[in-house]
Amino acid sequence: MILENVNIATPPNVSFLRGKELEILDIMKGVDLFIENGIIKKITKSIKNDEPKYWIIPGFVDSHSHTIFCGMRGDEIDLRKKIGYEGVLKSGGGIYRTIRETNSCDKDELYKQSRARIETMMMNGTTSFEAKTGYGLTVESEGKMLETILRIEKNLGVKIRKTLLAHVPPEGIPEYEFLEKFKEMIDIFKNRIDYVDVFTDDGAFSPQFAREVFIYANSKGIPGRVHINEIKNLNGIDMLKDLDIRSYDHMLETRVDEIDKINGVINFLPFTSITLKKDTSIFGEFLNHNKIISMGSDVSPNSYNLSMPLILGLARQTSPFSLEQLLNMATINSAYSTGMESQVGTIHENKEANFIVLKSSYKDIGYIFGNEIIEEVFVGGRPIRGTMEINLIE
């Protein structure tokens, strides 16, 4: 298959970018893409002399998502304004509400609702995912969530990294009692997961709990990912600095004096910072300290947004980052965060043919709102929207 005479904006063909490198995009104008068996085999200068109609960027890699659940929580938006996120959680709503609804729905209903979300995200340009459990809290229910992820991955032909998440302690059970149960889950699911995650914050788990979990997971060869410093800084970074933590997520309440202790990728979740009305200026400090920064959607029942272009656009308007920085964070750096950088995240030879065809320049992302900017999305060389007007030659 040949995609003829297009412009490409892609991160360089490297594993990750940081510091001033984040401003760099490889720009290729008027080129043809040769795709074979879902892989980009060759990129050459097009023989056509007319102005290319389309720009192409890599498919987004979502490095933090909570897509697997039953039930919705739109009615909590106004309640959060009155009592805050922590107040909703402590009153038995929030995550606890989703846990009850996910536990009570059967596996086919969970699959139906979760697949619909991921299909929508793919239509909006996300072509690789990290997906978390965490709305189960029992072996049976967490297993049901992992089974759902596997079914979606197989049936949609999309790469999904699987993370076992300790989200909150079960209601009425102290975290120290849950620790042994969660270690048991790690043992049971160790061959079906890529990462273990702990929500380490006020109203969730303590840094001490997270440390015990990650020591145990690391001993089984499983790296960590961690929700941390989202609501309140509990001094957890110092406790985790010597462990294999691949991704530090949220990080909004991080102090400057903690930055040099961070030994993994820092994951920016801009839509959540907007819904929580949190300042994102600390991410400018992460950039200045030469940290690797990725970007995810944090799609969940609490921050329900299935459009990475919208999230990226809002971040362009409200965060310290430029468009080029955000595109690199949401593609190659997120691929690196999830261990997929050799396969996805850029548009270069021998990478998977996962990319987005835009109706106008990539520079319109975050400028044009309320107007569809995507013409087509390719996953493994397959156009999934069915609206392709570019000349495809088999």
Side-chain angles (χ1 to χ4, degrees):
M1 183 175 73
I2 305 173
L3 203 64
E4 293 187 298
N5 195 28
V6 294
N7 296 329
I8 296 174
T10 177
N13 193 17
V14 296
S15 294
F16 59 82
L17 298 162
R18 58 184 168 188
K20 294 187 181 299
E21 299 169 344
L22 267 182
E23 290 283 356
I24 300 170
L25 289 175
D26 279 354
I27 304 297
M28 297 174 255
K29 293 188 174 182
V31 298
D32 296 340
L33 267 73
F34 294 77
I35 300 167
E36 183 179 326
N37 296 323
I39 303 296
I40 299 170
K41 289 297 184 181
K42 188 166 55 173
I43 302 175
T44 62
K45 187 68 178 175
S46 180
I47 61 173
K48 293 194 171 184
N49 294 319
D50 50 320
E51 183 68 22
K53 183 178 179 182
Y54 297 107
W55 278 90
I56 294 178
I57 61 173
F60 299 115
V61 181
D62 193 337
S63 51
H64 184 125
S65 77
H66 303 265
T67 51
I68 313 301
F69 62 88
C70 283
M72 301 287 278
R73 303 202 319 250
D75 56 326
E76 290 184 355
I77 294 173
D78 296 325
L79 183 60
R80 286 201 307 269
K81 296 176 186 176
K82 297 177 181 178
I83 64 175
Y85 177 85
E86 307 98 305
V88 173
L89 188 63
K90 290 175 181 178
S91 67
I95 295 169
Y96 287 114
R97 178 179 173 184
T98 302
I99 289 169
R100 291 191 295 272
E101 295 189 10
T102 302
N103 275 313
S104 64
C105 74
D106 66 37
K107 63 180 182 180
D108 289 331
E109 182 62 24
L110 179 62
Y111 172 77
K112 176 183 175 182
Q113 292 188 29
S114 302
R115 173 175 171 152
R117 281 187 282 271
I118 288 180
E119 283 183 315
T120 299
M121 295 171 77
M122 291 172 69
M123 292 291 185
N124 286 322
T126 301
T127 57
S128 306
F129 295 82
E130 182 264 7
K132 303 179 190 294
T133 68
Y135 294 122
L137 301 187
T138 67
V139 170
E140 180 183 6
S141 193
E142 294 288 292
K144 180 173 68 173
M145 295 184 73
L146 285 170
E147 179 185 339
T148 298
I149 297 171
L150 287 165
R151 286 177 68 186
I152 292 171
E153 183 177 40
K154 178 181 178 181
N155 293 340
L156 294 184
V158 62
K159 277 188 169 55
I160 305 179
R161 291 291 189 254
K162 302 154 200 74
T163 301
L164 180 69
L165 170 62
H167 218 158
V168 289
E171 291 180 284
I173 298 178
E175 68 170 33
Y176 66 85
E177 289 187 16
F178 184 64
L179 178 60
E180 294 307 314
K181 294 181 180 179
F182 193 68
K183 286 181 179 179
E184 179 186 352
M185 291 184 200
I186 294 173
D187 285 332
I188 291 171
F189 300 129
K190 63 184 178 183
N191 295 323
R192 297 166 60 184
I193 60 175
D194 301 291
Y195 301 98
V196 168
D197 194 345
V198 179
F199 183 13
T200 309
D201 218 312
D202 191 35
F205 290 102
S206 70
Q208 292 83 357
F209 177 95
R211 180 173 177 79
E212 291 297 320
V213 165
F214 291 134
I215 287 173
Y216 193 76
N218 289 174
S219 74
K220 305 292 181 179
I222 306 169
R225 310 180 76 82
V226 63
H227 293 58
I228 194 166
N229 293 354
E230 177 185 4
I231 308 299
K232 186 177 180 180
N233 190 320
L234 302 180
N235 298 311
I237 288 175
D238 193 57
M239 293 192 68
L240 303 177
K241 62 184 179 182
D242 60 326
L243 301 175
D244 184 2
I245 311 293
R246 300 293 173 86
S247 180
Y248 289 74
D249 297 27
H250 290 295
M251 299 291 281
L252 295 162
E253 297 295 332
T254 303
R255 299 187 306 271
V256 174
D257 65 275
E258 296 175 301
I259 294 176
D260 289 336
K261 300 174 183 177
I262 299 165
N263 61 4
V265 179
I266 296 171
N267 207 5
F268 181 40
L269 308 174
F271 191 70
T272 306
S273 68
I274 292 169
T275 60
L276 292 175
K277 299 180 176 60
K278 291 274 191 176
D279 179 32
T280 60
S281 59
I282 187 63
F283 278 85
E285 295 291 342
F286 296 146
L287 182 68
N288 293 337
H289 281 70
N290 217 34
K291 294 297 179 180
I292 305 169
I293 307 172
S294 60
M295 195 181 96
S297 70
D298 196 23
V299 56
S300 74
N302 181 62
S303 53
Y304 197 85
N305 190 323
L306 306 178
S307 173
M308 190 67 88
L310 176 59
I311 294 169
L312 195 150
L314 290 171
R316 186 184 182 189
Q317 294 283 348
T318 61
S319 78
F321 299 113
S322 69
L323 174 62
E324 289 78 11
Q325 290 170 327
L326 291 164
L327 281 172
N328 284 324
M329 287 156 54
T331 53
I332 188 57
N333 280 10
S334 284
Y336 177 75
S337 165
T338 53
M340 294 188 279
E341 72 277 6
S342 66
Q343 301 163 294
V344 301
T346 76
I347 301 175
H348 288 97
E349 293 175 4
N350 299 317
K351 287 287 188 78
E352 292 187 12
N354 293 355
F355 52 82
I356 304 164
V357 182
L358 300 172
K359 291 182 178 178
S360 59
S361 170
Y362 70 95
K363 295 181 180 180
D364 287 336
I365 298 173
Y367 172 65
I368 297 177
F369 284 87
N371 184 33
E372 179 58 70
I373 64 169
I374 294 177
E375 174 67 36
E376 185 57 271
V377 178
F378 282 74
V379 179
R382 298 175 290 112
I384 64 171
R385 280 185 161 223
T387 60
M388 197 64 181
E389 296 179 356
I390 295 177
N391 184 28
L392 298 179
I393 303 174
E394 295 292 340

